[in-house]
Amino acid sequence: MKLTDIVLRSFRVAKVFRENSDKINCFDFSPNGETVISSSDDDSIVLYDCQEGKPKRTLYSKKYGVDLIRYTHAANTVVYSSNKIDDTIRYLSLHDNKYIRYFPGHNKRVVALSMSPIDDTFISGSLDKTIRLWDLRSPNCQGLMHLQGKPVCSFDPEGLIFAAGVNSEMVKLYDLRSFDKGPFATFKMQYDRNCEWTGLKFSNDGKLILISTNGSFIRLIDAFKGAVMHTFGGYNNSKAVTLEASFTPDSQFIMIGSDDGKIHVWNGESGIKVAVLDGKHTGPITCLQFNPKFMTFASACSNMVSIAKCIASGKHEFC
């Protein structure tokens, strides 16, 4: 089924989960779209079954806490950053709730975590003004970049390059095979002193980069030339909260939540807002992602996860 303006406007909340007693920090869909995993300030990691629409399992990271979380390519394994004791990244087997490996190195909070789409490489960005390159098979950092400010970073969909957003004003593109030689492209953006960049994502077709901020706008840029394609606004973020913005899997639409519980959707090509959806949230929607394989998306505010699905058709899988 193809995503269109009409199909997007037909999305409705299908399930609401209140498994957490504290703020939900992050979530991530499995590559096959069958599960979504969340992390929370209550130190819990909750695994949800997207097909059955129910919580599957809850694990705890009481000692270290859990902040950003990402699925790896191996079945039932995740990497996550900590928010207690230290800033080590941990590689966890969900199957038996045991750590496979630790990745020490950062000495301040990890604010970006991105898994390579093709192999066991991942990158992390920290408030210590560094980006580190890792391999799941080794606890040693494979590469280190010192930057001038807080970074946001992400792999492109082919896993050959990664983008780093620095100081909320520059996007630098690095070739993974020769990143020590510096960026092969740098795009300077207009600096806005009223907000800072909080996230950076590539579209699945690799042509676009989405920059999210803690202000009331997000920016869509050309991944090859760095030109600003659109600046999307008109949603509430009065408390300067970090709101996650996302592409739909077909790269055609951009979504973000707001502090009044609404979800705003734009057409990436025209820049026109095509939908405002009611996520049934009582507070700011800090996490928002579309399922990579099925016609559902998940959103989270404070301690509540909401799964919305398309009601325009009985068929839920992407064609």
Side-chain angles (χ1 to χ4, degrees):
M1 184 177 181
K2 195 174 186 297
L3 268 181
T4 63
D5 300 3
I6 294 168
V7 170
L8 274 165
R9 284 194 283 269
S10 80
F11 273 77
R12 298 290 182 271
V13 173
K15 291 278 182 180
V16 171
F17 304 105
R18 291 181 174 85
E19 304 299 304
N20 297 97
S21 60
D22 210 335
K23 175 176 153 301
I24 294 162
N25 297 320
C26 181
F27 55 53
D28 195 38
F29 279 100
S30 59
N32 62 11
E34 291 176 4
T35 60
V36 64
I37 196 162
S38 71
S39 59
S40 167
D41 272 352
D42 63 12
D43 306 327
S44 72
I45 296 169
V46 183
L47 186 66
Y48 298 91
D49 187 315
C50 294
Q51 292 174 308
E52 293 189 19
K54 62 184 183 184
K56 202 172 177 180
R57 199 160 168 224
T58 301
L59 308 173
Y60 289 94
S61 178
K62 290 286 187 189
K63 184 176 179 182
Y64 303 111
V66 53
D67 196 359
L68 302 179
I69 192 163
R70 299 285 180 259
Y71 272 107
T72 70
H73 299 292
N76 287 319
T77 60
V78 292
V79 287
Y80 71 83
S81 61
S82 316
N83 54 14
K84 287 182 180 179
I85 297 184
D86 60 24
D87 301 286
T88 296
I89 296 166
R90 292 175 166 80
Y91 182 21
L92 177 70
S93 165
L94 301 172
H95 171 67
D96 50 10
N97 196 22
K98 288 185 178 169
Y99 293 115
I100 301 167
R101 198 159 284 115
Y102 296 143
F103 303 96
H106 287 302
N107 55 38
K108 287 189 177 176
R109 185 177 156 228
V110 174
V111 290
L113 193 60
S114 178
M115 192 76 212
S116 164
I118 58 167
D119 59 24
D120 286 338
T121 309
F122 69 96
I123 51 175
S124 57
S126 164
L127 293 179
D128 63 16
K129 299 180 183 177
T130 66
I131 289 176
R132 289 178 179 263
L133 180 68
W134 309 89
D135 188 305
L136 285 174
R137 295 164 294 189
S138 167
N140 302 317
C141 176
Q142 306 294 301
L144 174 62
M145 295 163 46
H146 292 276
L147 304 163
Q148 299 301 309
K150 172 193 166 183
V152 289
C153 55
S154 182
F155 277 102
D156 84 316
E158 293 183 344
L160 299 175
I161 67 170
F162 64 89
V166 187
N167 272 355
S168 299
E169 61 177 346
M170 269 183 291
V171 175
K172 295 174 181 278
L173 301 183
Y174 295 85
D175 188 313
L176 199 59
R177 295 156 297 189
S178 57
F179 70 89
D180 52 328
K181 294 184 172 69
F184 66 83
T186 299
F187 308 137
K188 189 106 163 48
M189 304 282 133
Q190 185 179 346
Y191 180 68
D192 189 322
R193 66 179 63 187
N194 296 316
C195 64
E196 63 177 27
W197 294 359
T198 54
L200 183 151
K201 290 181 182 181
F202 278 89
S203 57
N204 274 349
D205 62 10
K207 294 177 181 176
L208 302 166
I209 294 173
L210 181 60
I211 300 167
S212 47
T213 74
N214 64 355
S216 53
F217 70 91
I218 51 179
R219 222 167 242 150
L220 188 66
I221 68 168
D222 184 299
F224 301 104
K225 299 174 184 173
V228 176
M229 312 285 287
H230 298 289
T231 298
F232 303 115
Y235 61 92
N236 294 336
N237 190 13
S238 56
K239 294 174 183 169
V241 178
T242 297
L243 305 173
E244 182 178 17
S246 291
F247 287 100
T248 52
D250 60 5
S251 307
Q252 300 302 304
F253 298 94
I254 288 92
M255 315 171 70
I256 193 168
S258 59
D259 66 10
D260 59 3
K262 299 283 194 294
I263 293 158
H264 297 252
V265 188
W266 294 266
N267 182 301
E269 191 174 351
S270 68
I272 295 169
K273 188 178 286 188
V274 297
V276 179
L277 305 171
D278 185 1
K280 305 291 184 191
H281 291 285
T282 54
I285 299 174
T286 50
C287 306
L288 178 68
Q289 283 180 32
F290 213 100
N291 189 311
K293 298 292 181 187
F294 301 96
M295 279 289 202
T296 60
F297 68 82
S299 55
C301 71
S302 56
N303 60 351
M304 182 185 112
V305 172
S306 173
I307 305 284
K309 71 177 185 179
C310 165
I311 60 167
S313 165
K315 190 178 178 187
H316 293 144
E317 197 163 341
F318 281 103
C319 293

